[in-house]
Amino acid sequence: MGSMAIEEKKQTAAKPFDEEAASAVVKELRASFVSGKTRSYQWRVSQFKCILKLITKNEREIVDALRSDLSKPELESQVYEISMLKNSCKLAIKELKKWMKPEKVKTSIAVFPASAEIVSEPLGAILVISAWNYPFLLSLDPVVGAIASGNVVVLKPSELAPASSSLLAKLLGEYMDSSCIRVVEGAVAETSALLEQKWDKICYTGNARVGRIVMASAAKHLTPVLLELGGKSPVIVDSGINLQVACRRIIVGKWGCNNGQACVSPDYIITTKDFAPKLVDSLKQELENFYGKNQLESKDLSRIVNPHHFARLTKLLYEDKVCGKIVHGGEMDKTNLRIAPTILLDVPQDSLIMSEEIFGPLLPILTVDKMEDSFDLINSGTKPLAAYLFTNKKKLKEHFVNTVSAGGLVVNDTTIHLAVPSLPFGGVGESGMGAYHGKFSFDAFSHKKAVVYRGFFGDASIRYPPYTKGKLRILKALISGGILSIICALFGRPKA
Amino acid sequence: MEAVREVEETLSEVRQTFKGGRTRSIAWRKKQLSSLLELVNDNEENIFRALDQDLGKHPVESYRDEIGVVKKSINHTLSNLEKWVAPKKVGLPLPMFPTSGWLLPEPLGVVLVFASWNFPISLALDPMIGAIAAGNAVVLKPSEQAPASSSFLANTIPQYMDSKAVKIAEGGAEISELLLQQKWDKIFFTGSQQVGRIVMSAAAKNLTPVALELGGKSCIGVDYMLVGKSLLPLWYIESLKKTIKRFYSESPKDSKCLARVVNKRHFERLRNLFQDPPPTILLDPPLDAAIMTEEIFGPLLPIITVKKIEESIEFINSRPKPLAIYAFTKDANFRRRVLSETSSGTVVFNDILIQFVCEALPFGGVGQSGFGRYHGKYSFDTFSHEKAVVQANFFIEFGSRYPPWNDFKNNIIRSAYNLNYLNVVLLLLGLKR
């Protein structure tokens, strides 16, 4: 290769992914979409099988990438990323035919003879912007949905999980149909270049600040969005429950999910002043059962993703009005980006730790005089992605379910609603808009087209001008009345 | 400043009302809808008059497209509301037994509805019906370009409905801007793409979900026609001319059955598109003419001829996705192609506008014609949050969920996730490692 060619190659390799490059990718993918390739059932199923294959044959590599990015324990990687993804693909393969079928719809007598149905069709080109905490799951689960509905997809994995991002780019490039599915790696510049393009839908998982930026960009092109954001997911703990089981479930939902760095992790606890000491003791006990005495170094806990978030969490913990409230943990290892499971009791409501989503291993406990007060407390904040309640009291449970607004609620457990494919997963208010999982993924990336078939006979002249009083009478009866009105109108007698 | 304060006070009041909880009660929702029905029944003549003033609409059209639509919508909603608000149980994976799960619709909170001027009554009230059915408080902004209808709504609604939960904000662009600066739980907008962008951008600041019912070529009226050359467009045109004469008499301009153009601005706009008086049919205007690149929204009908009717698919696809496509054909194959190869909010074969009368069909656009849908239960859904609820119990415990983790627990959980129950059992019984 001559020196000129080498120089050229170097330049191409160093070329930034700018708007021109983004536009070229979209153009290519749209051409594939227009060719009709992604419409076929066979193509969609083949892509699901490719994802299954790429996961199964690269489990070791995926676990290693997650360990590199997050020090994620193997079991968490296996369960929350690999198994859940596989299940998603298997469900899609099993149900796709049913999902793709048009839905027949009843037509009213006024339009007889006619038949109607709702047909699902792909939107076109989808942009999936993923997050760093579950980099495989939150990248590929939406991609599965986009493919299921017959779209072409660009995936932008999070640069804060670089090993996962690069593995995703490599594996999708090797296994999937790259004329229809692409990975674009990068950070703010690349994401902005992608957001400038016209998409048919954008799916973003992350925080509310960037969610606003994504929606504002989408607005320029009138692109609908699916925003999976976060919030402060509260756990209300009542007395008179099996405290040991409750604590285990809280712990595994909090520290057992990427060490609190999950959008549905319990963020803070609300309990009564009387019950708090018992709760703290039980949490401490179970934490020791799970993670031993040296919890800072436990191999069963993820580390904090990067120095930026480590500094952020340190700031939350060491705010003056808060650091004296630590009742358990608080140990930190800056070099290894580790923070031990930490519990705080009675932090002030106007503290930093109570004003933003924690997204880490700190668990504040707020106390109230009576249980019913907890609802006002929750409703005074923005709507979270999830809310949890531990109680055996039917009335409290009913009040909770009916008045607490959140993406999803769980009574007597935490986070398990994510494993239910028949439930939509999504937020409300600040925690997001739209939902996915299971068939909801298929629906999220489809356009539901209304179709009416009419025959040529049965033409009702009453629809047509010139308009007369008689026609008005019949029209009124047809639209608003029942069969009796229609008969009366036809016979020239208005229904009294 | 006065206007700002008024808007803020309006919003504050409805928010307080929503927080108080009364809009959640089914009884309240039903009462509001019944009152709205009463309003429409008591004021048919007033509505006819307002629509005649704003648009020169004939009572038959006013009934068919506005009053009738609203009445039907209210009745349909009242008959089905109990069903719609009921929690919906869902099936859970076997290993989760006896945990139960269900979907519970709940109101979003305070909703802002922007109505357009072409169907100023139904495009205001139909979304409002959905918002109330879902238990929200509503602020309605009617179009100032249909002033008589706007006034009618502003004066009459407070007489019949809960004025602390349902408010009307009249005015032009300045009021709309002020409203958009506030924080809403949902914004429902019917109108042009240009304003749709402004609405969505404003909504993005507060992460407010939006439903945009936009126009683009066709809105739901017929914007242009595609005809195969071989089918002698001249024959079509003669047929159209004859029909127009039959509907609107020799002098259609004076016909009482033909609505007028809404205002001078739109009249000038249409006059720039073409000189002749309406109803006007044009044959094969140049494709880059304004009449073919903008939404006409007026009584001009261009006819484009293509060599084979199948080419119309390509023609439509080269343009932004419309709100509706109407295809008149008996050819099943062509029908199938239109359905699968074009994209639009709705497709109707062998008729037009009829989709409105089907309550069970969602109404909404795609691409440039908008997103979000309503009508019937879809209205209820669009103004609701479908909350997922799961109830577990304390009895059944799955110890392998908890750390410290090891290979054994790893295997059990993976088997459970893979629905490999045999494996789970074998592992638990110690018959497998």
Side-chain angles (χ1 to χ4, degrees), chain B residues 7-27:
Chain B
V7 162
E8 285 172 358
E9 271 170 23
T10 299
L11 179 52
S12 172
E13 196 175 355
V14 291
R15 225 172 241 305
Q16 278 305 108
T17 309
F18 178 75
K19 260 191 157 150
R22 76 163 172 272
T23 65
R24 292 179 175 255
S25 105
I26 311 297

Side-chain angles (χ1 to χ4, degrees), chain A residues 253-286:
Chain A
K254 173 81 168 183
W255 295 285
C257 281
N258 213 21
N259 208 8
Q261 299 165 106
C263 47
V264 288
S265 264
D267 188 279
Y268 66 101
I269 292 181
I270 308 176
T271 191
T272 55
K273 289 187 163 48
D274 293 335
F275 197 61
K278 270 181 108 178
L279 176 59
V280 171
D281 282 339
S282 187
L283 281 170
K284 283 178 163 182
Q285 183 58 59
E286 295 308 318

Side-chain angles (χ1 to χ4, degrees), chain A residues 35-284:
Chain A
S35 77
K37 188 180 217 195
T38 61
R39 303 279 191 144
S40 99
Y41 169 80
Q42 285 79 9
W43 179 86
R44 303 182 203 187
V45 170
S46 79
Q47 295 307 290
F48 298 146
K49 293 191 169 150
C50 290
I51 297 181
L52 269 176
K53 207 160 137 206
L54 83 82
I55 298 173
T56 317
K57 287 195 179 285
N58 295 278
E59 272 185 32
R60 193 89 318 263
E61 284 80 356
I62 293 174
V63 168
D64 287 344
L66 289 167
R67 191 174 294 120
S68 164
D69 285 334
L70 299 152
S71 298
K72 202 175 268 209
E74 175 158 359
L75 189 137
E76 283 190 46
S77 300
Q78 289 285 5
V79 170
Y80 296 122
E81 305 238 28
I82 293 172
S83 287
M84 276 185 80
L85 256 178
K86 278 163 126 176
N87 276 4
S88 207
C89 289
K90 289 181 189 166
L91 184 71
I93 293 172
K94 179 164 171 260
E95 302 285 316
L96 187 63
K97 236 190 195 108
K98 197 163 66 171
W99 294 346
M100 282 174 75
K101 262 175 83 180
E103 188 193 323
K104 280 240 169 288
V105 148
K106 236 176 38 177
T107 53
S108 73
I109 194 165
V111 301
F112 181 84
S115 64
E117 59 184 11
I118 301 170
V119 169
S120 298
E121 61 177 29
L123 290 165
I126 311 291
L127 173 62
V128 174
I129 302 175
S130 172
W132 54 260
N133 55 341
Y134 288 86
F136 287 90
L137 180 67
L138 298 177
S139 296
L140 294 179
D141 212 0
V143 167
V144 166
I147 292 174
S149 0
N151 300 286
V152 292
V153 195
V154 169
L155 166 65
K156 159 68 188 72
S158 172
E159 69 279 15
L160 298 189
S164 305
S165 173
S166 130
L167 185 59
L168 278 164
K170 172 167 172 275
L171 293 179
L172 267 74
E174 268 174 42
Y175 286 79
M176 318 247 344
D177 181 349
S178 54
S179 71
C180 299
I181 298 151
R182 288 286 176 82
V183 177
V184 172
E185 290 194 84
V188 175
E190 290 76 7
T191 309
S192 305
L194 287 168
L195 284 173
E196 283 298 306
Q197 309 308 313
K198 175 168 161 38
W199 302 94
D200 296 294
K201 186 142 187 175
I202 301 176
C203 170
Y204 168 75
T205 306
N207 65 59
R209 186 187 61 86
V210 179
R212 283 172 166 80
I213 296 171
V214 170
M215 189 171 170
S217 301
K220 298 196 190 108
H221 297 287
L222 292 169
T223 299
V225 297
L226 165 56
L227 301 177
E228 297 275 325
L229 310 175
K232 292 184 79 61
S233 300
V235 189
I236 305 176
V237 183
D238 187 18
S239 54
I241 54 167
N242 185 331
L243 190 52
Q244 192 186 46
V245 169
C247 286
R248 288 178 179 168
R249 293 177 180 179
I250 292 171
I251 292 171
V252 83
K254 173 81 168 183
W255 295 285
C257 281
N258 213 21
N259 208 8
Q261 299 165 106
C263 47
V264 288
S265 264
D267 188 279
Y268 66 101
I269 292 181
I270 308 176
T271 191
T272 55
K273 289 187 163 48
D274 293 335
F275 197 61
K278 270 181 108 178
L279 176 59
V280 171
D281 282 339
S282 187
L283 281 170
K284 283 178 163 182

Side-chain angles (χ1 to χ4, degrees), chain A residues 413-490:
Chain A
D413 209 324
T414 63
T415 73
I416 55 172
H417 58 306
L418 265 74
V420 182
S422 51
L423 285 174
F425 177 63
V428 62
E430 286 281 316
S431 53
M433 54 183 81
Y436 73 124
H437 280 190
K439 179 168 192 289
F440 299 97
S441 293
F442 177 83
D443 292 341
F445 297 106
S446 298
H447 165 53
K448 301 287 180 178
K449 187 159 73 178
V451 185
V452 181
Y453 301 90
R454 280 270 281 171
F456 279 105
F457 51 90
D459 201 30
S461 69
I462 54 132
R463 294 172 60 181
Y464 305 130
Y467 299 132
T468 62
K469 272 204 161 58
K471 285 187 181 179
L472 179 57
R473 208 168 47 230
I474 297 180
L475 205 61
K476 276 189 172 189
L478 264 177
I479 292 177
S480 316
I483 191 83
L484 199 59
S485 311
I486 298 173
I487 295 174
C488 287
L490 284 170

Side-chain angles (χ1 to χ4, degrees), chain A residues 243-387:
Chain A
L243 190 52
Q244 192 186 46
V245 169
C247 286
R248 288 178 179 168
R249 293 177 180 179
I250 292 171
I251 292 171
V252 83
K254 173 81 168 183
W255 295 285
C257 281
N258 213 21
N259 208 8
Q261 299 165 106
C263 47
V264 288
S265 264
D267 188 279
Y268 66 101
I269 292 181
I270 308 176
T271 191
T272 55
K273 289 187 163 48
D274 293 335
F275 197 61
K278 270 181 108 178
L279 176 59
V280 171
D281 282 339
S282 187
L283 281 170
K284 283 178 163 182
Q285 183 58 59
E286 295 308 318
L287 275 170
E288 196 176 309
N289 291 341
F290 287 7
Y291 303 115
K293 284 209 183 320
N294 186 1
Q295 288 161 20
L296 181 66
E297 291 175 19
S298 170
K299 289 266 171 293
D300 285 340
L301 286 168
S302 299
R303 67 156 206 268
I304 306 305
V305 67
N306 60 23
H308 162 76
H309 280 280
F310 188 90
R312 181 183 64 82
L313 289 163
T314 308
K315 194 163 161 222
L316 293 183
L317 193 55
Y318 287 108
E319 194 189 5
D320 282 338
K321 46 178 120 175
V322 155
C323 62
K325 309 282 184 183
I326 300 174
V327 294
H328 178 88
E331 299 92 355
M332 296 183 149
D333 175 356
K334 196 167 175 189
T335 326
N336 294 308
L337 295 176
R338 290 198 159 273
I339 299 179
T342 302
I343 304 174
L344 304 98
L345 182 58
D346 277 328
V347 298
Q349 277 182 53
D350 61 349
S351 53
L352 278 176
I353 204 174
M354 283 310 296
S355 67
E356 60 178 73
E357 186 177 5
I358 295 168
F359 224 67
L362 318 176
L363 182 65
I365 300 179
L366 299 181
T367 56
V368 289
D369 290 319
K370 48 186 207 308
M371 278 295 36
E372 288 71 16
D373 297 341
S374 44
F375 302 124
D376 283 335
L377 218 159
I378 296 173
N379 288 333
S380 69
T382 58
K383 298 177 186 179
L385 191 51

Side-chain angles (χ1 to χ4, degrees), chain B residues 405-425:
Chain B
W405 286 315
N406 50 45
D407 285 338
F408 175 73
K409 289 184 179 179
N410 199 346
N411 282 331
I412 285 202
I413 296 187
R414 288 176 69 188
S415 301
Y417 262 95
N418 293 332
L419 309 180
N420 190 347
Y421 305 131
L422 180 61
N423 238 29
V424 176
V425 171

Side-chain angles (χ1 to χ4, degrees), chain B residues 160-225:
Chain B
Y160 286 78
M161 303 187 71
D162 182 344
S163 59
K164 286 206 173 13
V166 179
K167 291 204 183 278
I168 319 294
E170 285 196 274
E174 337 75 53
I175 295 294
S176 298
E177 265 173 51
L178 288 174
L179 288 167
L180 285 173
Q181 283 166 22
Q182 308 303 316
K183 178 166 168 41
W184 305 91
D185 297 298
K186 183 136 189 176
I187 300 177
F188 186 97
F189 172 81
T190 306
S192 72
Q193 288 165 11
Q194 185 201 11
V195 182
R197 285 188 181 84
I198 297 172
V199 170
M200 190 172 169
S201 300
K205 301 199 180 96
N206 291 309
L207 287 172
T208 298
V210 299
L212 303 177
E213 301 276 327
L214 311 176
K217 284 227 93 10
S218 128
C219 179
I220 47 149
V222 175
D223 192 280
Y224 66 95
M225 226 167 112

Side-chain angles (χ1 to χ4, degrees), chain B residues 118-408:
Chain B
N118 52 340
F119 297 93
I121 302 293
S122 60
L123 293 180
L125 298 181
D126 210 2
M128 201 171 91
I129 290 166
I132 290 173
N136 300 285
V138 190
V139 172
L140 168 65
K141 161 74 185 67
S143 171
E144 71 280 14
Q145 294 191 66
S149 304
S150 176
S151 262
F152 167 78
L153 291 169
N155 293 330
T156 335
I157 287 178
Q159 291 171 30
Y160 286 78
M161 303 187 71
D162 182 344
S163 59
K164 286 206 173 13
V166 179
K167 291 204 183 278
I168 319 294
E170 285 196 274
E174 337 75 53
I175 295 294
S176 298
E177 265 173 51
L178 288 174
L179 288 167
L180 285 173
Q181 283 166 22
Q182 308 303 316
K183 178 166 168 41
W184 305 91
D185 297 298
K186 183 136 189 176
I187 300 177
F188 186 97
F189 172 81
T190 306
S192 72
Q193 288 165 11
Q194 185 201 11
V195 182
R197 285 188 181 84
I198 297 172
V199 170
M200 190 172 169
S201 300
K205 301 199 180 96
N206 291 309
L207 287 172
T208 298
V210 299
L212 303 177
E213 301 276 327
L214 311 176
K217 284 227 93 10
S218 128
C219 179
I220 47 149
V222 175
D223 192 280
Y224 66 95
M225 226 167 112
L226 288 152
V227 161
K229 240 186 184 71
S230 64
L231 268 91
L232 297 167
L234 291 176
W235 172 84
Y236 263 28
I237 294 178
E238 284 312 306
S239 183
L240 276 168
K241 278 162 122 175
K242 263 212 219 95
T243 312
I244 289 176
K245 220 185 287 190
R246 198 169 71 226
F247 284 7
Y248 302 115
S249 83
E250 288 288 346
S251 171
K253 188 158 61 81
D254 304 315
S255 167
K256 287 240 169 321
C257 296
L258 202 61
R260 60 150 222 271
V261 176
V262 68
N263 59 28
K264 212 173 173 89
R265 179 168 72 84
H266 282 278
F267 187 83
E268 295 299 326
R269 178 182 66 81
L270 288 165
R271 210 179 23 202
N272 287 333
L273 293 177
F274 198 73
Q275 303 297 337
D276 283 347
T280 304
I281 304 171
L282 303 93
L283 181 60
D284 280 326
L287 295 179
D288 57 356
I291 203 175
M292 281 310 294
T293 56
E294 299 169 12
E295 183 176 14
I296 295 172
F297 228 56
L300 315 174
L301 179 68
I303 300 182
I304 314 292
T305 56
V306 289
K307 275 212 270 309
K308 287 194 334 263
I309 195 62
E310 285 78 9
E311 284 170 30
S312 50
I313 292 179
E314 212 185 294
F315 188 94
I316 294 172
N317 286 341
S318 66
R319 289 167 153 66
K321 300 177 186 180
L323 198 47
I325 293 176
Y326 303 106
F328 287 81
T329 179
K330 279 183 166 173
D331 181 343
N333 207 29
F334 182 54
R335 220 174 27 222
R336 198 185 39 81
R337 282 197 63 194
V338 167
L339 198 53
S340 60
E341 292 174 39
T342 64
S343 185
S344 57
T346 306
V347 179
V348 183
F349 290 108
N350 305 331
D351 209 329
I352 62 147
L353 294 181
I354 206 101
Q355 67 270 37
F356 257 101
V357 200
C358 296
E359 284 296 0
L361 280 177
F363 178 71
V366 64
Q368 299 293 297
S369 50
F371 54 82
R373 52 207 188 148
Y374 73 127
H375 281 187
K377 179 168 194 289
Y378 297 101
S379 291
F380 176 84
D381 291 342
T382 218
F383 292 106
S384 298
H385 166 54
E386 210 175 28
K387 190 163 69 180
V389 185
V390 171
Q391 160 129 18
N393 64 54
F394 289 107
F395 313 124
I396 307 225
E397 258 296 67
F398 191 38
S400 300
R401 289 170 69 175
Y402 306 124
W405 286 315
N406 50 45
D407 285 338
F408 175 73

